[in-house]
Amino acid sequence: MDRLSVACRDYVPGFPCSVSFYAENLEDLLEAAIEHVRAAHYEEDTPALRGEIRAKTRLEGAQKLGRIAIAEDQRRLNANDVAEPAAFAD
């Protein structure tokens, strides 16, 4: 089943927040994200904020398969500077 997702750190720059939201429709996702940003970050619900959340929303699931999804995931990993785990010496 497909679902939508958005991470708080993607739409509220400057906050090192690790909260992400998942929903089956945009309305539910938007309401949860707005409630979080109002309660946790004291931001106002504005048309600009709603537009930013919509712009950062991603589709996950069967429809996201393919080269675009792989490239997008790789870009996200590179942007987060994920370190490779150190190898254990024998």
Side-chain angles (χ1 to χ4, degrees):
M1 176 190 303
D2 295 337
R3 67 181 180 170
L4 300 171
S5 70
V6 68
C8 180
R9 68 177 166 265
D10 291 342
Y11 66 88
V12 182
F15 287 100
C17 188
S18 62
V19 174
S20 293
F21 300 93
Y22 302 90
E24 293 180 13
N25 63 66
L26 184 58
E27 184 178 318
D28 289 346
L29 183 77
L30 191 58
E31 292 308 314
I34 290 292
E35 182 62 31
H36 167 74
V37 78
R38 290 178 67 213
H41 304 299
Y42 307 105
E43 296 287 324
E44 290 188 34
D45 180 359
T46 64
L49 178 60
R50 286 178 176 264
E52 187 68 20
I53 295 169
R54 282 187 189 98
K56 301 296 183 177
T57 297
R58 306 251 186 252
L59 176 64
E60 297 183 345
Q63 298 298 320
K64 194 177 173 185
L65 297 176
R67 292 177 189 231
I68 294 172
I70 293 168
E72 187 177 290
D73 289 343
Q74 186 61 47
R75 179 189 55 78
R76 196 173 314 131
L77 287 174
N78 291 340
N80 291 332
D81 293 325
V82 176
E84 293 292 324
F88 293 100
D90 290 330

